[in-house]
Amino acid sequence: MSITAILISTILVNNYVFAQFLGICPFLGVSNKTDTSLGMGVAVTFVVTLASIVCFFIQKMILDPLGLAYLQTIVFILVIAALVQFVEMVLKKTTPALYSALGIYLPLITTNCVVLGVAIQNIVAKYDLIQTIANSIGASIGFTLALLIMAGVREKLELADIPEPLKGFPITLLSAGLMSVAFTGFAGLV
């Protein structure tokens, strides 16, 4: 599969949030403001890309040769947890405002199923290193795009006259569902 096809597929067609329904917790929890969503997207991009590269090498150099592929999920989760701790320390030192804005959702990147899902998908699809990096970056861009779209919609919804029973989380879920349906329109691209 070409790099362009992988990128278009992971960003639009098979978006991990809208098509595969992975990463819904931070999608709904952090998407209140666009700046927070962008920060979360950058942090997830770093973690997904780095975790996928590290997991690729661990799979190819350790797990497969030693016949330990059954430990894949456990090993990948440990790698992801270590990387998230690293990102958390860097953000706390370099951008304390973003660190505070992300709050509890930053450590939750460890349990964000997009990160693990992308790492495992790279192995299942038998991608080489370049394809792994492309898939990881595309998935991260798609995740960030979903966060930013939702944040924009939620910022507009704060100003809208919404019936009382739909205010808050119900209108957020309806908006997310409609966005998911809209993203199915990209199905013919790849």
Side-chain angles (χ1 to χ4, degrees):
M1 184 177 245
S2 75
I3 302 303
T4 307
I6 290 172
L7 288 171
I8 290 171
S9 175
T10 54
I11 294 170
L12 299 172
V13 179
N14 295 316
N15 184 291
Y16 278 83
V17 175
F18 295 133
Q20 299 184 35
F21 305 111
L22 296 174
I24 300 297
C25 179
F27 170 70
L28 294 173
V30 179
S31 62
N32 292 325
K33 296 188 182 335
T34 52
D35 55 341
T36 308
S37 295
L38 183 60
M40 179 64 145
V42 170
V44 167
T45 299
F46 178 77
V47 171
V48 166
T49 305
L50 197 55
S52 292
I53 292 169
V54 171
C55 291
F56 174 84
F57 284 114
I58 288 173
Q59 184 75 33
K60 299 296 181 194
M61 296 177 156
I62 298 171
L63 298 179
D64 285 346
L66 296 176
L68 300 173
Y70 61 90
L71 294 175
Q72 180 187 64
T73 304
I74 295 168
V75 172
F76 286 10
I77 288 172
L78 291 173
V79 167
I80 292 164
L83 288 172
V84 169
Q85 288 300 311
F86 174 73
V87 168
E88 193 172 358
M89 289 186 305
V90 168
L91 283 180
K92 191 173 185 178
K93 278 280 195 202
T94 59
T95 52
L98 179 59
Y99 175 79
S100 297
L102 291 175
I104 188 66
Y105 293 102
L106 187 57
L108 286 178
I109 293 175
T110 303
T111 60
N112 184 346
C113 47
V114 165
V115 183
L116 182 60
V118 171
I120 291 175
Q121 177 62 30
N122 291 330
I123 302 301
V124 169
K126 295 184 170 103
Y127 287 151
D128 62 26
L129 182 60
I130 301 300
Q131 291 172 322
T132 294
I133 294 169
N135 188 52
S136 303
I137 291 171
S140 302
I141 291 170
F143 180 77
T144 305
L145 178 68
L147 284 177
L148 289 172
I149 291 171
M150 184 55 130
V153 167
R154 287 175 91 170
E155 286 176 357
K156 293 290 184 189
L157 286 174
E158 286 181 16
L159 305 172
D161 185 27
I162 299 170
E164 194 61 38
L166 292 178
K167 284 187 180 180
F169 204 63
I171 195 70
T172 301
L173 288 175
L174 285 171
S175 300
L178 290 173
M179 283 187 270
S180 182
V181 169
F183 265 68
T184 61
F186 295 116
L189 287 177
V190 178

